[in-house]
Amino acid sequence: MSAAENQQLKQVLREHELKATTQRIALLKLLDATHEHFDAEEIYLELLKKQKNVSRATVYRSLEALAEQDLVTRLDFGDGRMRFERSKGEDEHHDHLICEECGKVIEFFNLEMEAQQLSVCEENDFTPSTHTMHIFGTCSDCKQTP
Amino acid sequence: MSAAENQQLKQVLREHELKATTQRIALLKLLDATHEHFDAEEIYLELLKKQKNVSRATVYRSLEALAEQDLVTRLDFGDGRMRFERSKGEDEHHDHLICEECGKVIEFFNLEMEAQQLSVCEENDFTPSTHTMHIFGTCSDCKQTP
DNA sequence: GCGTAAATGAGATTCATTCTTATTTTTAAA
DNA sequence: TTTAAAAATAAGAATGAATCTCATTTACGC
Ligand SMILES: [Mn+2]
Ligand SMILES: [Mn+2]
Ligand SMILES: [Zn+2]
Ligand SMILES: [Zn+2]
């Protein structure tokens, strides 16, 4: 099903000089369908559940290749496992609030903060490539029930 | 030597309800003496070099206990190992620029950025506890020699 | 369709961190 | 100062995320 989406993802992969394997297509399709921040094991299990044959090693290798091409973004929430999300356009960059109680992740974007980052880099003659701006704490849901 | 410093660190540990073991004192003394961002193994090796008897497990456990009490700060530079630095006062909080070429770490503090973080938290009814603001890229030294 | 380079599967391996248990140390009280 | 209980430590085993190995399969330009 969704042969059109498959074709489109095949196209995307080739534009980034990546071979369009069924595993990579399935992985991209999975991440495209959600805003969740999966780790590699979760992605592996989801693909199995969807009857896709894939190995753990391929999940890791695919995520590496896709991240290299900025098709997915690696997220490090500091709990020992990397998370991944589908990269949206440059204009859709966002950072994260992470609830330490329930694990909920709230996405946000703050233009002034991004501007301050560039300003700090200039002051230090530093050429930025990526950044992590993660704020840990307690979300509104968890605040009420201590 | 520096019996005074030892006494002072003993005091600090007890104020935080931690037993003042020779290992914890040595670890704090080590981190007090530098601005470097050591990982656990480096700390372990440094302590061995200084003739302190300590085991890897104790380094990890001590760092956990000290971080719990905010006497040290855990840093995650995303390369698979945690780094640690001595926590300074609340007023001496800083974030990091990390050179992906040479590993150099530049510390910075930007008040406006911190203010924006609080503003984002308020907007989302989120109570912050800590944050990571790490900017990865290329330092001035590495820019020149590609 | 063919050939070749690249990707995959399955499991072994690595390496940071955590866990286990016997032993030692800290600390408060006698 | 000696003593006892609780806590911390040493040494190495265990864990788990991520990477690597190599035989097999697949993608894709011709
Ligand atoms: Mn996100
Ligand atoms: Mn620092
Ligand atoms: Zn929550
Ligand atoms: Zn550099």
Side-chain angles (χ1 to χ4, degrees):
Chain A
M1 68 182 91
S2 72
E5 189 183 0
N6 273 25
Q7 269 317 116
Q8 201 255 320
L9 289 173
K10 227 175 217 184
Q11 182 74 10
V12 169
L13 285 165
R14 285 178 179 151
E15 280 165 4
H16 290 268
E17 319 213 315
L18 294 173
K19 297 208 168 176
T21 65
T22 58
Q23 291 84 350
R24 288 170 179 175
I25 292 168
L27 201 165
L28 275 184
K29 201 188 284 190
L30 174 66
L31 290 186
D32 263 331
T34 177
H35 273 183
E36 286 186 65
H37 305 87
F38 287 130
D39 62 40
E41 182 72 11
E42 287 169 337
I43 290 169
Y44 170 65
L45 293 175
E46 284 297 319
L47 291 177
L48 284 193
K49 202 184 296 178
K50 287 181 163 44
Q51 323 279 351
K52 309 294 181 184
N53 67 313
V54 71
S55 70
R56 251 176 277 257
T58 295
V59 170
Y60 278 102
R61 278 182 300 221
S62 297
L63 288 170
E64 186 184 19
L66 294 168
E68 184 97 16
Q69 294 299 317
D70 261 319
L71 293 173
V72 307
T73 302
R74 307 174 76 92
L75 301 168
D76 185 350
F77 291 168
D79 60 352
R81 283 164 298 159
M82 284 292 176
R83 312 297 178 88
F84 299 87
E85 67 183 359
R86 184 78 164 83
S87 301
K88 306 296 196 267
E90 173 74 21
D91 49 324
E92 295 188 52
H93 162 76
H94 61 261
D95 293 312
H96 299 93
L97 304 178
I98 300 130
C99 178
E100 291 168 321
E101 305 289 328
C102 68
K104 185 166 73 184
V105 177
I106 301 169
E107 304 186 331
F108 73 90
F109 177 77
N110 182 288
L111 189 54
E112 294 96 297
M113 215 154 74
E114 306 281 328
Q116 288 300 325
Q117 287 163 20
L118 293 181
S119 150
V120 165
C121 288
E122 271 185 41
E123 283 166 28
N124 289 277
D125 195 11
F126 189 88
T127 308
S129 62
T130 62
H131 68 260
T132 69
M133 166 77 272
H134 298 157
I135 306 180
F136 300 90
T138 310
C139 77
S140 53
D141 291 349
C142 296
K143 220 175 300 183
Q144 294 159 349
T145 56
Chain B
M1 67 183 93
S2 71
E5 190 183 358
N6 273 25
Q7 268 317 114
Q8 201 256 320
L9 290 174
K10 225 175 217 183
Q11 183 74 11
V12 169
L13 285 165
R14 286 180 177 149
E15 279 164 4
H16 290 268
E17 320 213 316
L18 295 174
K19 296 208 168 176
T21 65
T22 57
Q23 291 85 348
R24 288 171 179 174
I25 292 169
L27 202 165
L28 276 183
K29 201 188 285 191
L30 174 65
L31 289 187
D32 263 332
T34 177
H35 272 183
E36 285 187 66
H37 305 86
F38 287 131
D39 63 39
E41 182 71 10
E42 288 169 336
I43 290 169
Y44 170 65
L45 293 174
E46 283 297 319
L47 291 178
L48 284 193
K49 203 185 297 178
K50 286 181 165 43
Q51 324 281 350
K52 308 295 181 184
N53 67 313
V54 69
S55 70
R56 251 176 278 259
T58 294
V59 170
Y60 279 101
R61 277 181 303 222
S62 297
L63 288 169
E64 185 184 20
L66 294 168
E68 184 97 16
Q69 294 298 318
D70 262 319
L71 292 174
V72 308
T73 302
R74 308 174 76 93
L75 300 169
D76 185 351
F77 291 167
D79 61 351
R81 283 163 297 157
M82 285 292 177
R83 312 298 177 88
F84 300 87
E85 67 183 359
R86 185 76 164 86
S87 302
K88 305 295 196 266
E90 172 74 22
D91 50 323
E92 296 187 53
H93 163 76
H94 61 260
D95 293 313
H96 299 95
L97 303 178
I98 300 129
C99 178
E100 291 168 320
E101 305 290 327
C102 68
K104 186 166 72 186
V105 177
I106 301 169
E107 305 187 330
F108 73 89
F109 177 77
N110 182 289
L111 189 55
E112 293 96 297
M113 215 153 76
E114 306 281 328
Q116 288 300 325
Q117 288 163 18
L118 293 180
S119 150
V120 166
C121 289
E122 271 185 39
E123 283 166 26
N124 289 278
D125 196 10
F126 189 88
T127 308
S129 63
T130 61
H131 68 261
T132 68
M133 166 76 272
H134 297 158
I135 305 181
F136 299 90
T138 310
C139 77
S140 54
D141 291 347
C142 295
K143 221 175 298 181
Q144 294 160 347
T145 57

